[in-house]
Amino acid sequence: MSLLSKFNMDEIMNCMQCGFCLPSCPTYRQTGKEVASPRGRIALMKGVAQKALAVDEEFEHNMYLCLGCRACETACPAGVPYGSLVETAREVVETRKKEEKTLPFIRNLVFNQLFPYPERIEKLGTALWAAQAAGLHTLARKTGLINVLPRPLAEMQQSVHKVASPTERKKRQKVMKPEGKPAQLRVGMFKGCIMDVMFYETNQATARVLTKAGCEVVFVDDQACCGALHAHAGEKDGAIALAKRNIEAFEKAGVDLIVNNAGGCGAALKEYHHWFHGDPDWKERAMNFVSKMRDANELLAELPELEFKKELNLRVTYQDSCHLAHGQGIRNQPRHLLRSIPGVEYIEMINADSCCGSAGIYNITNFDMSMRILDDKMENVKMTKAHVIVTSNPGCLLQMKQGIIRAGMQDKMEAIHIMDLLDRAL
């Protein structure tokens, strides 16, 4: 297959260039530039696919300036699958770069040496826990040594959760059952890679909430990263390899359903079958996997109402995960869950489904643009006068924590994953 034949011209030509996507696009709103819009990027893809434009640095910049939030897919009257188009464009960029020179050290480290190996991510988590336990983060802030780091990392570390200790992680029960009643469903927990290190307790909270809803929860062995970061960064072969590992792991587990609590991971997991064009055996296995996949909010909406034990007496607003809202179409379920908690006053945020600027590692690779988008989002957050911003994705959670710090609202507001809030009320 030639490099440019990777583009699906039928999907590109489906774009009517109507411009309905423009108001929904965060980078277009920030820059006002056509090439920073979905319509403009698709026009660039068309030019490259037809060999009228080169796969050069300008094309690469415009493809990677996109957050991949997929708000344009919600707005598009023609149903153009923009997310898959921009992933293909990035795959073309990275394939061309590999043909021309060796893979950059950091990129090779992240995509080839770290994320495919869960045990290495686990060790990284242990190192981070040790640094926190030794007070190195606090010392670095107080002495100013933190400023040795690049600015994106120096600011980001302020919002990093306390990492669970190795001892705490070893205590995990591989199977958690509902108390005092037979299980209605046996569900496999997709725990994620960074999610299970940085947000171990959120995974535990999710499992506890699901047991309260009558599920037996299994932490399935041999699962790996979902592959979303690889796919979004043009590393499609790596994404497919990870997908195969996860499909095999959950086939062996023999669960009724598979559940995850990260909007970004869930969108990728539900699209595995699109990654196996030309491979009918794996595509069929992927379709079976996808048919069982549920977001935790989605699954809870299918089960009997939760019986809460306490009132929280909080004013709460909700920040949509882009890949949960635009990628999976899940909007009402988390809002219903929040409104069902006794004592919660739910306040709908203006443009709640506009991107917060996190977008995987975008807040590191495109820090300035990410912070501009975040600061705009925080203006809408402030208007709600909420005590709590609730999210359904770990990246959004870190970003909103950073937004609270940037806005100087640490004493007035907290950011929390919806499963942690439900667990608190249960």
Side-chain angles (χ1 to χ4, degrees):
M1 178 186 288
S2 68
L3 180 60
L4 299 186
S5 66
K6 290 178 180 290
F7 285 110
N8 187 321
M9 285 304 296
D10 289 338
E11 292 178 351
I12 287 176
M13 297 306 293
N14 277 341
C15 175
M16 302 182 295
Q17 299 288 302
C18 65
F20 278 28
C21 59
L22 301 184
S24 70
C25 178
T27 51
Y28 179 78
R29 291 201 305 268
Q30 290 293 333
T31 67
K33 295 180 179 179
E34 180 71 15
V35 290
S37 74
R39 180 176 70 180
R41 292 188 185 101
I42 289 174
L44 292 175
M45 293 177 207
K46 180 180 177 182
V48 165
Q50 295 178 337
K51 301 183 181 180
L53 295 174
V55 184
D56 55 15
E57 289 185 3
E58 184 178 358
F59 180 76
E60 177 182 355
H61 168 74
N62 286 313
M63 294 306 112
Y64 277 102
L65 187 64
C66 172
L67 293 112
C69 71
R70 298 170 63 172
C72 53
E73 292 187 13
T74 299
C76 180
V80 175
Y82 175 82
S84 64
L85 288 176
V86 79
E87 285 180 2
T88 299
R90 292 173 180 176
E91 183 184 4
V92 167
V93 167
E94 297 308 325
T95 304
R96 175 60 53 84
K97 287 165 71 175
K98 288 173 186 175
E99 291 174 351
E100 295 175 351
K101 59 184 179 181
T102 58
L103 193 64
F105 172 75
I106 294 296
R107 190 177 181 91
N108 180 58
L109 178 67
V110 170
F111 292 112
N112 295 338
Q113 304 302 322
L114 180 60
F115 279 97
Y117 301 97
E119 65 278 5
R120 294 179 185 176
I121 295 175
E122 183 83 9
K123 289 178 181 178
L124 183 64
T126 298
L128 182 56
W129 166 80
Q132 290 177 338
L136 297 182
H137 285 195
T138 302
L139 179 64
R141 285 197 299 271
K142 288 183 176 179
T143 61
L145 285 173
I146 196 71
N147 296 321
V148 172
L149 292 173
R151 188 182 169 204
L153 295 178
E155 287 202 20
M156 184 64 66
Q157 61 81 35
Q158 298 178 76
S159 54
V160 171
H161 272 51
K162 183 180 178 182
V163 176
S165 71
T167 302
E168 186 177 352
R169 294 201 297 267
K170 285 179 182 177
K171 291 179 181 177
R172 168 180 279 162
Q173 297 173 269
K174 286 195 174 181
V175 179
M176 296 174 62
K177 298 183 178 183
E179 294 181 8
K181 54 184 175 182
Q184 297 182 53
L185 289 170
R186 188 169 188 263
V187 301
M189 181 77 185
F190 187 86
K191 59 186 181 181
C193 48
I194 295 298
M195 182 74 193
D196 206 44
V197 170
M198 301 285 290
F199 302 94
Y200 171 87
E201 185 50 40
T202 300
N203 275 350
Q204 293 299 102
T206 303
R208 288 192 293 267
V209 171
L210 289 169
T211 61
K212 297 285 187 182
C215 296
E216 177 182 304
V217 181
V218 183
F219 285 91
V220 174
D221 290 330
D222 300 325
Q223 57 180 290
C225 171
C226 67
L229 284 178
H230 284 75
H232 299 333
E235 299 285 343
K236 200 59 176 287
D237 289 343
I240 289 171
L242 290 166
K244 288 181 177 180
R245 286 170 61 181
N246 286 320
I247 291 168
E248 287 181 331
F250 282 90
E251 282 176 344
K252 292 176 184 175
V255 293
D256 300 317
L257 296 174
I258 308 165
V259 67
N260 84 97
N261 56 12
C265 295
L269 294 165
K270 287 184 175 181
E271 294 176 354
Y272 271 5
H273 55 307
H274 294 307
W275 295 4
F276 292 100
H277 292 302
D279 191 339
D281 291 339
W282 272 106
K283 185 166 186 176
E284 184 177 351
R285 293 171 71 177
M287 289 176 69
N288 185 54
F289 177 94
V290 169
S291 71
K292 294 182 177 182
M293 179 56 61
R294 301 287 190 279
D295 177 78
N297 295 283
E298 181 183 22
L299 178 55
L300 287 169
E302 299 172 6
L303 297 171
E305 293 283 336
L306 293 167
E307 297 178 5
F308 295 99
K309 301 298 183 184
K310 63 175 77 170
E311 291 190 9
L312 295 187
N313 298 317
L314 294 171
R315 176 176 289 185
V316 172
T317 194
Y318 179 68
Q319 157 66 19
D320 285 283
S321 156
C322 291
H323 285 91
L324 191 63
H326 304 300
Q328 301 183 57
I330 296 173
R331 300 168 180 268
N332 295 330
Q333 295 93 323
R335 288 169 168 83
H336 172 75
L337 287 167
L338 291 173
R339 289 189 175 103
S340 70
I341 300 173
V344 160
E345 178 188 1
Y346 179 77
I347 307 294
E348 184 66 27
M349 187 197 313
I350 295 172
N351 295 329
D353 64 350
S354 66
C355 189
C356 66
S358 171
I361 57 172
Y362 190 94
N363 49 8
I364 297 174
T365 60
N366 291 275
F367 178 75
D368 290 336
M369 178 64 75
S370 173
M371 293 302 105
R372 285 162 62 182
I373 293 168
L374 174 60
D375 290 342
D376 284 352
K377 169 65 71 171
M378 289 308 298
E379 291 303 312
N380 292 337
V381 171
K382 290 176 188 175
M383 291 171 62
T384 67
K385 295 182 169 57
H387 305 121
V388 177
I389 310 171
V390 177
T391 77
S392 293
N393 188 62
C396 300
L397 181 56
L398 285 176
Q399 185 84 336
M400 299 314 298
K401 283 178 175 288
Q402 191 169 6
I404 290 170
I405 293 169
R406 286 174 66 88
M409 300 174 68
Q410 301 94 309
D411 296 332
K412 300 177 182 177
M413 183 179 293
E414 69 171 319
I416 187 170
H417 193 286
I418 188 169
M419 294 299 135
D420 288 309
L421 190 67
L422 293 170
D423 185 53
R424 187 185 297 181
L426 288 166

